[in-house]
Amino acid sequence: MPGGNAFSDFIDDLQGLREAVERNPDVQPSIEEELVILDQSLVEVQTERARQEELTALRQESTQKLKAAIARGKDAAMRVRSVVRGKIGPRSERLVHFNVAPLRKRTRKAGEKAKRAAGAAAGTAVASPSDKPVV
């Protein structure tokens, strides 16, 4: 038997063994039972290998169909969310139930408010990051 795991090497080895037995008729009567088992094994291995290749092709086809179904589902979800946003309004908090972020008023960070309040109390103006000159 070959040392590698290659399928074709294994098949070649079994077929070569079968041919070697056919070329030596003096050995055939003593190993007739083993030859039957060898032939059955060879046919079974070839059948299962063909089935394995067929299942690989079916798996690839199934994967392609699954990806297409997922893409259709994402498109449908976008359409549903878009219609819901149009029906109940882009600012409604009910949009959260549909995993859509409603439009909200922008809020300043707490640190900026404290700086502005401290600057106003001291009588100095604190520049915001957007007030910096562009170089």
Side-chain angles (χ1 to χ4, degrees), residues 2-3 8 18 30 33 40 52 66 76-77 83 100 110 115 124 127 129 131:
S8 61
R18 180 70 170 118
S30 62
E33 287 181 40
Q40 289 173 347
Q52 186 181 41
L66 176 63
V83 170
V100 176
K115 286 181 186 176
T124 62
D131 295 338

Side-chain angles (χ1 to χ4, degrees), residues 6-133:
F7 176 76
S8 61
D9 291 343
F10 179 71
I11 294 297
D12 290 344
D13 181 52
L14 292 184
Q15 289 173 341
L17 183 59
R18 180 70 170 118
E19 290 171 8
V21 169
E22 288 175 2
R23 280 185 258 129
N24 292 294
D26 58 322
V27 183
Q28 284 181 357
S30 62
I31 59 168
E32 196 63 39
E33 287 181 40
E34 288 78 10
L35 276 180
V36 171
I37 295 171
L38 179 73
D39 290 340
Q40 289 173 347
S41 296
L42 182 61
V43 169
E44 184 180 1
V45 166
Q46 289 173 328
T47 302
E48 289 302 318
R49 178 62 179 174
R51 183 169 185 256
Q52 186 181 41
E53 289 174 358
E54 178 186 357
L55 290 174
T56 298
L58 289 174
R59 180 184 53 80
Q60 291 172 347
E61 180 183 347
S62 177
T63 299
Q64 290 171 352
K65 287 180 180 179
L66 176 63
K67 286 181 181 181
I70 288 171
R72 285 192 305 273
K74 286 181 179 182
D75 288 346
M78 271 193 283
R79 283 191 222 109
V80 168
R81 286 185 177 114
S82 179
V83 170
V84 167
R85 186 182 298 120
K87 293 286 184 185
I88 65 176
R91 297 182 190 281
S92 174
E93 288 298 321
R94 291 187 340 195
L95 290 174
V96 174
H97 296 290
F98 302 96
N99 290 333
V100 176
L103 294 177
R104 296 182 176 120
K105 234 179 148 178
R106 292 194 180 257
T107 58
R108 289 190 178 159
K109 293 180 184 176
E112 286 185 30
K113 273 187 175 180
K115 286 181 186 176
R116 290 194 184 273
T124 62
V126 176
S128 69
S130 61
D131 295 338
K132 292 183 180 177

